[in-house]
Amino acid sequence: MSSNETPRGPVDSSRVPRYAGPATFARLPRLDEVGRADVAVVGVPFDSGVSYRPGARFGGNAIREASRLLRPYNPAQDASPFALAQVADGGDIAVNPFNINEAVETVEAAADDLLGTGARLMTLGGDHTIALPLLRSVAKKHGPVALLHFDAHLDTWDTYFGAEYTHGTPFRRAVEEGILDTEALSHVGTRGPLYGKQDLTDDEKMGFGIVTSADVYRRGADEVADQLRQRIGDRPLYISIDIDCLDPAHAPGTGTPEAGGMTSRELLEILRGLASCNLVSADVVEVAPRTTTRRSRRWRPPTPRTNSRRSCPARSPRPARPVRRTRASDPRPRPGAPPDRRPDGGRAEPSPGRNGGDLVVETLAGLGATTVFGLPGQHALGMFDALRRSDLRYVGLRVENNAGFAADAYGRITGEAAPLLLSTGPGALTSLAALQEARAASAPVLAISSQIPTAGLGGGRHGYLHELPDQAASFRGVVKSVHTVRTQSQIPSAIAEAWRSALTAPHGPVWVEIPQDVLLAKTALPVVTAVDATPDDLAPAWN
């Protein structure tokens, strides 16, 4: 933009409400409306390179919608950025979702065209695969660039399932292609489990320095920003922000969340501390908005509605909550119990197709549970399929962190043990924050997580990507007790013991782990009816 041109800024929100009009970034003009721009904001709706939860293809438009609230003056930096430079929304780069190599080439070509106009790019992903073609394009103009990579993960792995281009490999490829300045490479916000120590060794050989999320917490944003400025110097800088650098409490809507991340405040302060750097382009990736919806639902087959909305009768008062029963000696039937669950001690007739998941659900029902929280996952489907065959009420939320906090709230309000069903891997780890809250508040939460099949435990892996070498170890410092199951016969006793632990004063969360194959295998064990898990009495306080 020439010095005598006045940038065209956002639509005036005092004349047009923020929720009205086209959802361009920050309600700025489109690129075709201004001809050229100093900064072009473009979207890349692509998530075919993800290894866990998809949805980042919707991230760009979600960011645009959220940016409606941006105002033209930034008091933190005493600046009106849209008055200092022409910023425009360049729309989306349409890529082939079924061919990663072709998509990478398309993004690179489109970035070449945009950078050729003199603009800097602010790219909205999309998964992290798109960082590689963007870096290629930037390097054509500026040479090898410094990289500041905000992420929970290294993204310097070699391949996934033999594929060289994925969201976990872009920066290894970039180093191999010589488009990064290996004297000025930094990861910020990394944390969580790795496949092995060699991951860190390889990363260091490529030239990366690491500032973990714990480093940010202990040293503070100002010290970290100062260290990064010194490392970057006056080199041309590319910043890549994976939203999972933030803790799931701040950004649950992402594909591979990890507990223990940075706060949004820490990220903003570090970025503001880099104002003097020579930023040439940047991206924000891995925003998966459809995993953030806080909506509960019951896992039930749909039933026809007999009343229209207008003719629906008035809701009757909610009945009083029944007294909780946990002893096998109580002969009263559980309201709504199916015929094969007899609380009088008689042997019930097993239904066909029962598996380990049914043993979990039957035990919970026998303990007196009525409501179960959780989120379905591949390794835990045995439990969730069994829920459909039970009378337990299921409350599901779109991210494990939210399900955990819902169970925590239920336990606090009712004083009852709140079952929380999880699937192994990143999903299970996401619940850590909620379980920490439950421990602090003495809320009885019974977390039951799947584990990869037994054949993959102990380092065997056998291709099971979500194995943690010792998943239970991640939770031992948070929960009251950990109970591991390796055979179906152990399921009722392990859950009963965990239930007893959760409800023994002081109340708190507990952890049960069951391998996927144990949950899915058919069982000939008797139907679990009523279970005795009376909490232990407190020891006398006198000497």
Side-chain angles (χ1 to χ4, degrees):
M1 184 184 70
S2 63
S3 58
N4 60 353
E5 291 182 57
T6 301
R8 179 176 165 184
V11 174
D12 186 351
S13 61
S14 66
R15 295 178 179 273
V16 180
R18 298 183 186 280
Y19 48 80
T24 58
F25 181 79
R27 307 177 82 215
L28 288 160
R30 301 192 312 270
L31 183 57
D32 61 359
E33 294 176 318
V34 294
R36 63 171 302 276
D38 301 294
V39 179
V41 181
V42 295
V44 183
F46 174 84
D47 60 10
S48 301
V50 301
S51 59
Y52 197 53
R53 294 194 302 209
R57 65 183 63 185
F58 304 107
N61 285 337
I63 294 171
R64 288 183 173 108
E65 280 291 342
S67 72
R68 287 178 180 272
L69 277 175
L70 289 177
R71 298 175 178 88
Y73 174 67
N74 182 350
Q77 295 181 292
D78 188 23
S80 299
F82 304 133
L84 298 173
Q86 180 62 66
V87 184
D89 194 317
D92 288 342
I93 300 172
V95 297
N96 186 344
F98 303 109
N99 189 318
I100 294 181
N101 290 359
E102 181 182 326
V104 167
E105 294 172 358
T106 302
V107 173
E108 182 179 352
D112 288 345
D113 291 341
L114 289 165
L115 290 173
T117 67
R120 302 181 189 189
L121 293 184
M122 177 67 244
T123 308
L124 312 177
D127 73 55
H128 227 149
T129 310
I130 70 171
L132 177 60
L134 294 170
L135 284 167
R136 287 174 176 173
S137 187
V138 169
K140 292 174 187 176
K141 183 173 182 179
H142 299 282
V145 295
L147 173 66
L148 183 52
H149 172 221
F150 291 87
D151 202 321
H153 312 95
L154 301 175
D155 289 1
T156 52
W157 286 285
D158 190 8
T159 63
Y160 280 119
F161 294 91
E164 295 183 342
Y165 300 127
T166 76
H167 75 157
T169 64
F171 303 118
R172 178 184 284 258
R173 299 287 90 80
V175 170
E176 293 171 346
E177 294 176 15
I179 57 180
L180 296 180
D181 185 335
T182 55
E183 297 297 318
L185 307 180
S186 300
H187 302 297
V188 181
T190 56
R191 61 194 185 277
L194 300 171
Y195 295 116
K197 190 172 182 178
Q198 188 64 36
D199 293 344
L200 295 172
T201 302
D202 293 345
D203 193 77
E204 183 179 8
K205 289 179 180 178
M206 294 178 212
F208 281 92
I210 295 178
V211 181
T212 67
S213 59
D215 293 332
V216 175
Y217 170 74
R218 295 190 181 99
R219 291 156 48 190
D222 291 342
E223 181 180 333
V224 169
D226 182 63
Q227 177 190 3
L228 294 173
R229 284 197 308 271
Q230 294 180 33
R231 186 173 177 86
I232 295 164
D234 59 358
R235 298 175 175 89
L237 171 65
Y238 187 95
I239 295 180
S240 184
I241 302 176
D242 184 326
I243 202 66
D244 71 20
C245 71
L246 299 180
D247 189 87
H250 296 266
T254 190
T256 49
E258 302 281 0
M262 296 191 299
T263 67
S264 53
R265 179 174 56 249
E266 289 169 336
L267 176 60
L268 288 171
E269 288 304 310
I270 292 173
L271 290 173
R272 288 165 179 161
L274 302 173
S276 62
C277 293
N278 178 22
L279 179 64
V280 294
S281 283
D283 65 55
V284 177
V285 297
E286 300 287 352
V287 175
R290 297 195 174 190
T291 62
T292 65
T293 304
R294 294 172 181 258
R295 184 180 70 183
S296 64
R297 65 191 189 281
R298 295 185 66 182
W299 191 309
R300 292 282 191 271
T303 55
R305 300 186 62 156
T306 57
N307 295 310
S308 67
R309 185 179 297 273
R310 293 185 177 181
S311 63
C312 185
R315 183 176 296 178
S316 59
R318 184 175 181 178
R321 181 179 296 277
V323 176
R324 179 68 57 225
R325 303 186 302 279
T326 60
R327 291 187 177 274
S329 57
D330 190 339
R332 291 173 295 171
R334 181 169 62 87
D340 64 346
R341 293 184 178 89
R342 291 171 54 191
D344 60 0
R347 186 181 181 91
E349 187 66 24
S351 57
R354 285 175 69 246
N355 59 21
D358 289 279
L359 291 172
V360 172
V361 173
E362 290 165 3
T363 303
L364 292 175
L367 287 164
T370 59
T371 304
V372 177
F373 300 83
L375 183 69
Q378 174 187 350
H379 297 90
L381 291 180
M383 291 189 291
F384 286 90
D385 286 341
L387 272 179
R388 302 181 66 180
R389 299 188 285 271
S390 79
D391 286 332
L392 295 179
R393 180 174 62 179
Y394 170 66
V395 180
L397 293 97
R398 291 297 182 89
V399 64
E400 292 86 349
N401 188 44
N402 293 348
F405 279 114
D408 168 44
Y410 184 89
R412 295 192 200 194
I413 293 170
T414 65
E416 301 169 5
L420 172 65
L421 305 187
L422 301 166
S423 187
T424 186
L429 289 176
T430 302
S431 69
L432 271 170
L435 295 177
Q436 286 174 324
E437 285 291 316
R439 184 66 183 270
S442 296
V445 176
L446 172 58
I448 304 177
S449 173
S450 63
Q451 175 56 287
I452 65 165
T454 308
L457 295 173
R461 292 192 60 79
H462 295 278
Y464 300 116
L465 289 177
H466 301 145
E467 180 201 10
L468 299 177
D470 186 356
Q471 177 174 258
S474 301
F475 295 84
R476 285 195 178 96
V478 175
V479 299
K480 287 183 64 180
S481 59
V482 172
H483 309 262
T484 55
V485 171
R486 293 296 179 260
T487 64
Q488 289 184 338
S489 61
Q490 295 173 332
I491 290 177
S493 58
I495 294 178
E497 185 59 34
W499 182 280
R500 177 182 291 109
S501 175
L503 290 173
T504 296
H507 295 178
V510 294
W511 181 263
V512 179
E513 177 185 287
I514 309 172
Q516 178 190 24
D517 56 328
V518 175
L519 291 170
L520 292 177
K522 291 184 178 180
T523 183
L525 294 174
V527 174
V528 182
T529 54
V531 182
D532 186 357
T534 306
D536 297 330
D537 293 328
L538 285 175
W542 59 81
N543 293 327

